[in-house]
Amino acid sequence: MQNVESTFMKEAIALSVANVETGKGGPFGTVVVKDGKIIARAVNQVTASNDPTAHAEIIAIREACRVLNTISLQGCEIYTSCEPCPMCLGAIYWARPDKLFYANTKEDAAAIQFNDQFIYTEIAKPVVERTLFTRQLLRDEALEAFKKWEESPLKIMY
């Protein structure tokens, strides 16, 4: 199994290298694998698309879900050239793949100015202590959607 896993990781790494060489985005690549076949490939497109959420993992998850016509990546493996940032890690957990493999560490990324430690630190703080001004508004009005969801026969749980 190690050789197969290495093959998929090499593809994710090759994507990350090519993305830097073409100048289209950051040094990150991801592949999603199901049943021993790559079903989605993606690279970081943050600067190319002016979208701060266009990380390779997010784009690969979206493509894999489109290909599989599902909201779940159960039965899949994700190979990413770098340990996922907090946003991507959250998305990966929501997608529910069976396995996650990464190459570079978050410390390696921090060494080249991709440092997400401040996000980990901020998330752990109480809301009132965060750097980003955050205030709750209109909770009672917003609860209407939650009540309707709870009662809806149309909901699809995820």
Side-chain angles (χ1 to χ4, degrees), residues 5 9 29-33 57 61 73 76-85 88-93 96-103:
E5 292 168 351
M9 183 57 75
T30 301
V31 297
V32 180
V33 174
E57 297 93 332
I61 288 168
L73 294 181
C76 295
E77 299 169 353
I78 295 178
Y79 295 80
T80 185
S81 64
C82 186
E83 186 174 358
C85 74
C88 293
L89 188 58
I92 289 165
Y93 271 98
R96 296 177 174 86
D98 291 357
K99 296 177 182 177
L100 168 65
F101 299 92
Y102 66 91

Side-chain angles (χ1 to χ4, degrees), residues 32 34 39 61 64-76 91-98 157-158:
V32 180
K34 182 165 178 77
I39 59 166
I61 288 168
C65 288
R66 187 194 65 74
V67 166
L68 297 174
N69 194 32
T70 182
I71 60 172
S72 172
L73 294 181
Q74 289 178 328
C76 295
I92 289 165
Y93 271 98
W94 277 113
R96 296 177 174 86
D98 291 357
M157 295 302 294
Y158 57 95

Side-chain angles (χ1 to χ4, degrees), residues 3-60:
N3 289 337
V4 173
E5 292 168 351
S6 294
T7 299
F8 294 134
M9 183 57 75
K10 285 178 182 179
E11 177 67 13
I13 293 167
L15 288 167
S16 71
V17 171
N19 207 42
V20 173
E21 291 174 345
T22 62
K24 293 183 178 178
F28 306 100
T30 301
V31 297
V32 180
V33 174
K34 182 165 178 77
D35 299 328
K37 295 182 181 143
I38 295 175
I39 59 166
R41 290 176 172 81
V43 294
N44 177 284
Q45 296 178 25
V46 170
T47 56
S49 65
N50 293 319
D51 179 355
T53 68
H55 291 201
E57 297 93 332
I58 300 293
I59 296 167

Side-chain angles (χ1 to χ4, degrees), residues 84-157:
C85 74
M87 174 183 70
C88 293
L89 188 58
I92 289 165
Y93 271 98
W94 277 113
R96 296 177 174 86
D98 291 357
K99 296 177 182 177
L100 168 65
F101 299 92
Y102 66 91
N104 292 317
T105 66
K106 61 185 178 183
E107 292 80 16
D108 295 330
I112 61 164
Q113 307 307 309
F114 288 95
N115 189 348
D116 299 320
Q117 186 56 48
F118 77 97
I119 298 172
Y120 290 108
T121 302
E122 285 288 303
I123 289 170
K125 292 180 182 177
V127 172
V128 297
E129 294 178 19
R130 293 181 184 161
T131 304
L132 176 64
F133 174 84
T134 305
R135 182 175 63 202
Q136 185 178 25
L137 294 173
L138 303 177
R139 179 176 180 256
D140 291 339
E141 289 87 338
L143 283 172
E144 179 182 355
F146 283 14
K147 290 174 186 170
K148 288 185 180 288
W149 172 261
E150 193 172 43
E151 299 165 358
S152 176
L154 303 175
K155 70 181 168 194
I156 298 171
M157 295 302 294

